[in-house]
Amino acid sequence: MPPPLASRSVTTTTTSGEPFALAEQAAAEIARKSGIERHEAVIVLGSGWLEAAEVFGPAVFECRTSELAGFAPPTVAGHEGRVRSVVIGDRPTLVLLGRVHLYEGHEPTAVVHPVRTAVLGGAGLVVLTNAAGGLDAKMRPGQPVLIRDHLNLTGRSPLAGVAPPAPYGSRFVDLTACYSTRLRGLARAVMPELAEGVYGGFIGPQYETPAEVEMARRLGADLVGMSTVLEAIAARHLGAEVLGCSLVTNLAAGVSPHPLNHADVLAAGAAAAPRLARLIADVVARA
Ligand code: 8IG
Protein backbone atom coordinates (compact mmCIF):
# COMPACT_ATOMS: atom_id res chain seq x y z
CA MET A 1 0.00 0.00 0.00
CA PRO A 2 1.34 3.46 -0.80
CA PRO A 3 1.57 5.83 2.16
CA PRO A 4 -1.42 8.17 2.50
CA LEU A 5 -0.96 11.39 0.50
CA ALA A 6 -1.36 13.53 3.60
CA SER A 7 1.82 12.08 5.09
CA ARG A 8 3.97 13.48 2.28
CA SER A 9 5.74 16.79 2.63
CA VAL A 10 4.55 19.32 0.06
CA THR A 11 8.16 20.12 -0.90
CA THR A 12 9.30 16.51 -1.42
CA THR A 13 11.16 15.95 -4.65
CA THR A 14 9.79 12.91 -6.37
CA THR A 15 12.86 10.71 -6.29
CA SER A 16 10.84 7.61 -5.45
CA GLY A 17 7.35 6.56 -4.56
CA GLU A 18 4.29 7.51 -6.53
CA PRO A 19 5.05 10.31 -8.96
CA PHE A 20 1.64 10.04 -10.62
CA ALA A 21 -0.27 10.26 -7.34
CA LEU A 22 1.84 13.26 -6.35
CA ALA A 23 1.10 14.98 -9.68
CA GLU A 24 -2.62 14.25 -9.21
CA GLN A 25 -2.40 15.84 -5.79
CA ALA A 26 -0.63 18.94 -7.13
CA ALA A 27 -3.19 19.23 -9.94
CA ALA A 28 -6.02 19.12 -7.39
CA GLU A 29 -4.27 21.81 -5.35
CA ILE A 30 -3.98 24.10 -8.38
CA ALA A 31 -7.64 23.56 -9.23
CA ARG A 32 -8.72 24.30 -5.66
CA LYS A 33 -6.48 27.34 -5.11
CA SER A 34 -7.25 28.90 -8.51
CA GLY A 35 -10.93 27.99 -8.59
CA ILE A 36 -10.33 26.80 -12.17
CA GLU A 37 -11.24 23.16 -12.57
CA ARG A 38 -9.34 22.47 -15.78
CA HIS A 39 -6.42 24.21 -17.46
CA GLU A 40 -6.51 23.08 -21.07
CA ALA A 41 -2.94 24.03 -21.98
CA VAL A 42 0.39 24.54 -20.25
CA ILE A 43 3.33 26.66 -21.31
CA VAL A 44 6.70 25.97 -19.71
CA LEU A 45 8.92 29.03 -19.85
CA GLY A 46 12.60 28.19 -19.83
CA SER A 47 15.60 30.40 -19.19
CA GLY A 48 15.47 33.64 -21.09
CA TRP A 49 11.72 33.38 -21.66
CA LEU A 50 10.52 34.73 -18.33
CA GLU A 51 10.42 38.33 -19.58
CA ALA A 52 7.82 37.16 -22.05
CA ALA A 53 5.31 35.95 -19.46
CA GLU A 54 3.33 39.23 -19.48
CA VAL A 55 2.54 38.72 -23.17
CA PHE A 56 0.11 35.94 -22.16
CA GLY A 57 -2.07 38.49 -20.41
CA PRO A 58 -2.92 39.19 -16.79
CA ALA A 59 -2.61 36.46 -14.20
CA VAL A 60 -6.03 35.35 -12.98
CA PHE A 61 -4.20 33.28 -10.37
CA GLU A 62 -0.60 32.80 -9.34
CA CYS A 63 1.22 30.84 -6.65
CA ARG A 64 4.72 29.73 -5.79
CA THR A 65 5.59 26.17 -6.73
CA SER A 66 6.78 25.71 -3.13
CA GLU A 67 3.07 25.74 -2.14
CA LEU A 68 2.33 22.72 -4.33
CA ALA A 69 2.94 19.02 -3.72
CA GLY A 70 6.06 17.54 -5.23
CA PHE A 71 7.58 20.65 -6.82
CA ALA A 72 11.34 20.79 -6.31
CA PRO A 73 12.77 24.22 -5.50
CA PRO A 74 14.66 25.62 -8.52
CA THR A 75 18.25 26.69 -7.93
CA VAL A 76 19.10 28.59 -11.14
CA ALA A 77 19.05 32.36 -11.70
CA GLY A 78 16.21 33.14 -14.11
CA HIS A 79 14.07 30.22 -12.90
CA GLU A 80 11.64 31.54 -10.36
CA GLY A 81 9.32 28.69 -9.55
CA ARG A 82 5.84 30.15 -9.98
CA VAL A 83 2.65 28.79 -11.53
CA ARG A 84 0.34 31.30 -13.20
CA SER A 85 -3.10 30.92 -14.69
CA VAL A 86 -3.98 33.03 -17.74
CA VAL A 87 -6.69 32.92 -20.39
CA ILE A 88 -5.43 32.64 -23.98
CA GLY A 89 -8.17 32.91 -26.58
CA ASP A 90 -10.88 31.35 -24.44
CA ARG A 91 -8.59 28.69 -23.06
CA PRO A 92 -7.58 28.52 -19.38
CA THR A 93 -3.81 28.04 -19.58
CA LEU A 94 -1.16 27.36 -16.97
CA VAL A 95 2.14 29.12 -17.34
CA LEU A 96 5.03 27.53 -15.47
CA LEU A 97 7.60 30.22 -14.75
CA GLY A 98 10.83 28.34 -14.48
CA ARG A 99 11.63 24.65 -14.49
CA VAL A 100 14.04 22.34 -12.75
CA HIS A 101 16.80 20.48 -14.53
CA LEU A 102 18.79 17.26 -14.20
CA TYR A 103 21.93 19.35 -13.82
CA GLU A 104 20.61 20.74 -10.52
CA GLY A 105 20.77 17.19 -9.20
CA HIS A 106 17.06 16.47 -9.54
CA GLU A 107 15.77 13.09 -10.58
CA PRO A 108 13.81 12.74 -13.84
CA THR A 109 10.54 12.38 -11.89
CA ALA A 110 11.14 15.79 -10.28
CA VAL A 111 12.07 17.33 -13.64
CA VAL A 112 8.79 16.21 -15.22
CA HIS A 113 6.53 16.69 -12.18
CA PRO A 114 5.28 20.17 -13.27
CA VAL A 115 4.35 18.92 -16.73
CA ARG A 116 2.68 15.80 -15.32
CA THR A 117 0.75 17.98 -12.90
CA ALA A 118 -0.49 20.20 -15.71
CA VAL A 119 -1.49 17.30 -17.98
CA LEU A 120 -3.31 15.52 -15.16
CA GLY A 121 -5.04 18.85 -14.49
CA GLY A 122 -6.47 18.83 -18.00
CA ALA A 123 -3.72 20.18 -20.28
CA GLY A 124 -3.93 18.27 -23.55
CA LEU A 125 -1.57 20.83 -25.08
CA VAL A 126 1.96 21.20 -23.72
CA VAL A 127 4.24 23.97 -24.96
CA LEU A 128 7.89 23.54 -23.98
CA THR A 129 10.21 26.48 -24.48
CA ASN A 130 13.93 26.65 -23.90
CA ALA A 131 17.10 28.49 -24.73
CA ALA A 132 19.52 26.46 -26.79
CA GLY A 133 22.83 26.52 -28.58
CA GLY A 134 22.63 26.46 -32.37
CA LEU A 135 24.76 24.01 -34.34
CA ASP A 136 24.30 25.68 -37.70
CA ALA A 137 26.60 28.65 -38.34
CA LYS A 138 23.69 30.31 -40.16
CA MET A 139 21.64 30.43 -36.95
CA ARG A 140 21.50 33.79 -35.19
CA PRO A 141 21.12 34.61 -31.50
CA GLY A 142 17.48 35.50 -30.95
CA GLN A 143 16.25 33.13 -33.65
CA PRO A 144 13.36 30.81 -32.77
CA VAL A 145 13.51 27.21 -33.95
CA LEU A 146 10.61 24.77 -33.71
CA ILE A 147 11.62 21.40 -32.32
CA ARG A 148 10.81 18.74 -34.93
CA ASP A 149 12.29 15.86 -32.94
CA HIS A 150 14.83 15.23 -30.22
CA LEU A 151 17.84 13.15 -29.28
CA ASN A 152 17.65 12.24 -25.61
CA LEU A 153 21.37 12.34 -24.81
CA THR A 154 20.83 12.51 -21.04
CA GLY A 155 20.83 8.76 -20.50
CA ARG A 156 17.79 9.26 -18.24
CA SER A 157 14.05 8.67 -18.60
CA PRO A 158 11.07 9.83 -16.56
CA LEU A 159 9.50 6.43 -17.23
CA ALA A 160 12.31 4.35 -15.72
CA GLY A 161 11.55 2.64 -12.45
CA VAL A 162 8.32 1.19 -11.19
CA ALA A 163 5.78 0.73 -14.00
CA PRO A 164 3.11 3.46 -14.13
CA PRO A 165 0.07 2.34 -12.13
CA ALA A 166 -3.38 1.90 -13.70
CA PRO A 167 -4.95 3.80 -15.40
CA TYR A 168 -1.75 5.25 -16.84
CA GLY A 169 -0.48 3.93 -20.13
CA SER A 170 2.41 1.59 -20.77
CA ARG A 171 5.88 2.96 -20.14
CA PHE A 172 6.87 1.61 -23.56
CA VAL A 173 5.53 4.77 -25.10
CA ASP A 174 5.65 5.44 -28.84
CA LEU A 175 7.53 8.63 -29.74
CA THR A 176 7.09 8.51 -33.51
CA ALA A 177 5.38 11.91 -33.45
CA CYS A 178 6.70 13.29 -30.18
CA TYR A 179 6.43 16.91 -31.36
CA SER A 180 3.03 17.39 -32.93
CA THR A 181 2.97 17.88 -36.70
CA ARG A 182 -0.39 19.62 -36.32
CA LEU A 183 0.92 22.16 -33.80
CA ARG A 184 4.07 22.81 -35.83
CA GLY A 185 1.85 23.52 -38.81
CA LEU A 186 -0.15 26.02 -36.76
CA ALA A 187 3.07 27.70 -35.63
CA ARG A 188 4.32 28.02 -39.20
CA ALA A 189 0.97 29.43 -40.27
CA VAL A 190 1.52 32.21 -37.71
CA MET A 191 5.24 32.67 -38.51
CA PRO A 192 6.03 31.21 -41.95
CA GLU A 193 9.79 31.82 -41.77
CA LEU A 194 10.12 29.66 -38.65
CA ALA A 195 12.96 27.13 -38.86
CA GLU A 196 12.65 23.56 -37.57
CA GLY A 197 15.32 21.41 -36.05
CA VAL A 198 16.30 18.42 -33.93
CA TYR A 199 17.05 19.22 -30.27
CA GLY A 200 19.89 17.33 -28.62
CA GLY A 201 19.23 17.20 -24.88
CA PHE A 202 22.39 16.99 -22.76
CA ILE A 203 22.53 16.70 -18.99
CA GLY A 204 24.88 19.72 -18.58
CA PRO A 205 25.53 21.94 -16.73
CA GLN A 206 28.81 22.48 -18.55
CA TYR A 207 28.49 23.49 -22.16
CA GLU A 208 29.76 20.94 -24.67
CA THR A 209 33.29 20.59 -25.91
CA PRO A 210 33.71 21.28 -29.62
CA ALA A 211 34.08 17.49 -30.10
CA GLU A 212 30.73 16.88 -28.36
CA VAL A 213 29.09 19.56 -30.49
CA GLU A 214 30.46 17.85 -33.59
CA MET A 215 29.17 14.51 -32.28
CA ALA A 216 25.70 15.98 -31.75
CA ARG A 217 25.74 17.51 -35.22
CA ARG A 218 26.74 14.19 -36.85
CA LEU A 219 24.01 12.43 -34.89
CA GLY A 220 21.49 14.80 -36.45
CA ALA A 221 21.05 17.57 -33.87
CA ASP A 222 20.53 21.17 -34.94
CA LEU A 223 20.26 22.52 -31.39
CA VAL A 224 21.78 21.59 -28.04
CA GLY A 225 20.29 22.25 -24.63
CA MET A 226 19.79 20.92 -21.12
CA SER A 227 16.03 20.54 -20.78
CA THR A 228 12.81 19.64 -22.60
CA VAL A 229 13.43 16.03 -23.67
CA LEU A 230 12.27 14.39 -20.43
CA GLU A 231 9.22 16.67 -20.22
CA ALA A 232 8.26 15.84 -23.81
CA ILE A 233 8.51 12.11 -23.04
CA ALA A 234 6.36 12.45 -19.91
CA ALA A 235 3.76 14.55 -21.74
CA ARG A 236 3.51 12.04 -24.59
CA HIS A 237 3.19 9.20 -22.12
CA LEU A 238 0.08 10.95 -20.78
CA GLY A 239 -1.24 11.53 -24.29
CA ALA A 240 -0.78 15.30 -24.52
CA GLU A 241 0.20 17.04 -27.75
CA VAL A 242 3.60 18.71 -27.52
CA LEU A 243 4.94 21.85 -29.16
CA GLY A 244 8.62 22.62 -28.54
CA CYS A 245 10.27 25.91 -29.34
CA SER A 246 13.92 26.79 -28.82
CA LEU A 247 15.30 30.26 -28.71
CA VAL A 248 18.80 30.12 -30.13
CA THR A 249 20.81 32.30 -27.80
CA ASN A 250 24.31 31.25 -28.77
CA LEU A 251 26.17 29.27 -31.36
CA ALA A 252 27.44 26.07 -29.73
CA ALA A 253 31.10 25.63 -28.81
CA GLY A 254 33.33 25.23 -31.85
CA VAL A 255 30.61 26.78 -34.04
CA SER A 256 30.80 30.07 -32.15
CA PRO A 257 33.97 32.15 -32.45
CA HIS A 258 33.50 33.23 -28.79
CA PRO A 259 33.50 31.34 -25.47
CA LEU A 260 30.00 30.80 -24.02
CA ASN A 261 28.70 32.99 -21.20
CA HIS A 262 25.47 32.43 -19.23
CA ALA A 263 24.75 36.19 -18.92
CA ASP A 264 24.88 36.64 -22.72
CA VAL A 265 22.51 33.71 -23.08
CA LEU A 266 19.98 35.34 -20.73
CA ALA A 267 20.32 38.74 -22.47
CA ALA A 268 19.73 37.31 -25.95
CA GLY A 269 16.64 35.54 -24.68
CA ALA A 270 15.23 38.63 -22.98
CA ALA A 271 15.49 40.62 -26.21
CA ALA A 272 13.75 38.08 -28.43
CA ALA A 273 11.29 36.37 -26.11
CA PRO A 274 8.25 38.69 -26.30
CA ARG A 275 7.82 38.14 -30.03
CA LEU A 276 8.07 34.40 -29.53
CA ALA A 277 5.60 34.50 -26.70
CA ARG A 278 3.08 36.13 -29.05
CA LEU A 279 3.69 33.28 -31.50
CA ILE A 280 2.97 30.75 -28.75
CA ALA A 281 -0.13 32.60 -27.59
CA ASP A 282 -1.43 32.56 -31.17
CA VAL A 283 -0.83 28.81 -31.46
CA VAL A 284 -2.54 28.09 -28.12
CA ALA A 285 -5.51 30.24 -29.13
CA ARG A 286 -5.87 28.44 -32.47
CA ALA A 287 -5.07 24.89 -31.39
I1 8IG B 1 21.18 28.85 -23.97
O1 8IG B 1 25.43 25.62 -26.18
C1 8IG B 1 22.16 27.22 -24.17
N1 8IG B 1 21.83 26.11 -23.55
N2 8IG B 1 23.93 21.99 -23.82
N3 8IG B 1 24.69 23.82 -25.01
C2 8IG B 1 23.80 23.26 -24.14
N4 8IG B 1 22.82 23.94 -23.60
C3 8IG B 1 22.72 25.23 -23.94
C4 8IG B 1 23.59 25.86 -24.82
C5 8IG B 1 24.63 25.12 -25.39
N5 8IG B 1 23.21 27.12 -24.94
Side-chain angles (χ1 to χ4, degrees):
M1 275 289 284
L5 292 174
S7 72
R8 296 190 188 114
S9 157
V10 294
T11 56
T12 301
T13 63
T14 55
T15 53
S16 66
E18 301 72 36
F20 295 93
L22 208 46
E24 286 170 20
Q25 183 186 345
E29 288 169 356
I30 291 171
R32 179 176 52 76
K33 286 170 184 279
S34 68
I36 298 162
E37 205 171 325
R38 280 172 57 85
H39 286 91
E40 296 173 14
V42 60
I43 303 168
V44 180
L45 293 182
S47 51
W49 286 76
L50 293 180
E51 333 283 327
E54 309 313 318
V55 170
F56 300 121
V60 295
F61 165 77
E62 184 168 302
C63 74
R64 304 195 146 276
T65 54
S66 56
E67 298 170 41
L68 300 170
F71 279 69
T75 62
V76 192
H79 287 265
E80 276 189 58
R82 285 178 291 141
V83 175
R84 177 179 293 184
S85 175
V86 299
V87 181
I88 298 179
D90 55 6
R91 188 159 278 163
T93 300
L94 273 189
V95 181
L96 299 174
L97 299 126
R99 55 155 62 92
V100 297
H101 304 82
L102 289 175
Y103 65 71
E104 296 171 76
H106 298 297
E107 290 297 315
T109 43
V111 170
V112 306
H113 176 71
V115 164
R116 276 193 177 138
T117 295
V119 175
L120 296 185
L125 169 54
V126 173
V127 181
L128 302 174
T129 71
N130 60 55
L135 299 194
D136 179 340
K138 292 192 288 292
M139 288 177 173
R140 289 287 159 259
Q143 180 183 344
V145 179
L146 278 184
I147 301 176
R148 174 166 54 78
D149 203 347
H150 77 219
L151 297 168
N152 178 5
L153 302 174
T154 68
R156 307 299 303 274
S157 170
L159 300 173
V162 177
Y168 299 106
S170 163
R171 60 184 141 180
F172 302 105
V173 59
D174 177 72
L175 296 179
T176 309
C178 189
Y179 297 88
S180 161
T181 311
R182 184 182 84 87
L183 295 177
R184 283 187 281 129
L186 285 177
R188 278 197 312 273
V190 175
M191 195 182 273
E193 71 278 18
L194 205 49
E196 286 197 353
V198 172
Y199 179 93
F202 283 81
I203 194 165
Q206 72 285 350
Y207 294 117
E208 295 72 30
T209 63
E212 288 163 344
V213 167
E214 176 62 10
M215 173 191 76
R217 199 188 59 75
R218 291 195 206 186
L219 290 177
D222 303 297
L223 304 154
V224 284
M226 307 175 194
S227 68
T228 303
V229 295
L230 301 187
E231 294 153 277
I233 292 166
R236 290 302 299 144
H237 172 248
L238 295 175
E241 269 189 298
V242 177
L243 180 72
C245 188
S246 290
L247 181 55
V248 175
T249 55
N250 62 281
L251 289 178
V255 183
S256 167
H258 311 292
L260 307 187
N261 168 318
H262 189 60
D264 291 349
V265 164
L266 293 179
R275 192 170 134 262
L276 300 188
R278 267 185 291 279
L279 161 72
I280 283 169
D282 285 348
V283 174
V284 170
R286 294 180 188 204

